[in-house]
Amino acid sequence: MSIDWKSSPYFRREEFRRAPDMVDPELVRLLNQVRAQAKAPIIIHEAWAPDGHSPGSYHYSGRAADFHFAPGFLNYTDQFMLLSQYFHGLGFYSGWKPCPGWHADLRSSSAVWLRDADVY
C-alpha cells in the first residue's frame, strides 16, 4: 500500500528524504497523530534507509523514523509519554544536534532505550 501524501495533514513527501515511497504508510499515519496531539512540529531526520543502522533495523523496511520535536513545545518527559501511546519501539538520543531526538518504530513488542554520549 502506498502513502496518499495529499491526505497527510502534517507531513509532505519531501520530508522523508530518502525514498519516501519506501516508508510504511502506518508510520506516517501514526506520526501525523502524534503531531496533531503534540501541537508541535516534528522534523524528520530519516525514515527508510538502505544502510547505516544496526542489523535488523526497522529503517531497512521503512518502519522506523528518526526525528526531533521543534524546540520549545514539549519537555522530553511529555514527548516520551505521547510517543509511547503510539509506538512500541522508542529510543531517545540525548546527543543529537541541533537538539535531542527520537527513534520510533513499528515493532510488535515493547523496547525502549536511551543513547547518551554514544553509549546505550
Side-chain angles (χ1 to χ4, degrees), residues 30-98:
L30 292 175
L31 286 170
N32 271 299
Q33 288 183 351
V34 168
R35 169 62 180 87
Q37 197 168 344
K39 297 177 177 49
I42 293 173
I43 295 85
I44 304 294
H45 297 239
E46 184 163 63
W48 179 85
D51 55 28
H53 296 274
S54 63
S57 171
Y58 284 78
H59 286 285
Y60 302 144
S61 61
R63 297 174 52 80
D66 296 337
F67 57 91
H68 71 270
F69 288 91
F73 284 88
L74 296 172
N75 66 49
Y76 298 118
T77 302
D78 290 341
Q79 291 175 20
F80 174 77
M81 296 304 291
L82 175 58
L83 290 167
S84 66
Q85 294 176 50
Y86 295 95
F87 295 99
H88 289 140
L90 279 178
F92 182 69
Y93 297 87
S94 63
W96 279 0
K97 303 294 181 205

Side-chain angles (χ1 to χ4, degrees), residues 89-108:
L90 279 178
F92 182 69
Y93 297 87
S94 63
W96 279 0
K97 303 294 181 205
C99 62
W102 296 93
H103 166 99
D105 65 48
L106 300 177
R107 70 184 69 208
S108 58

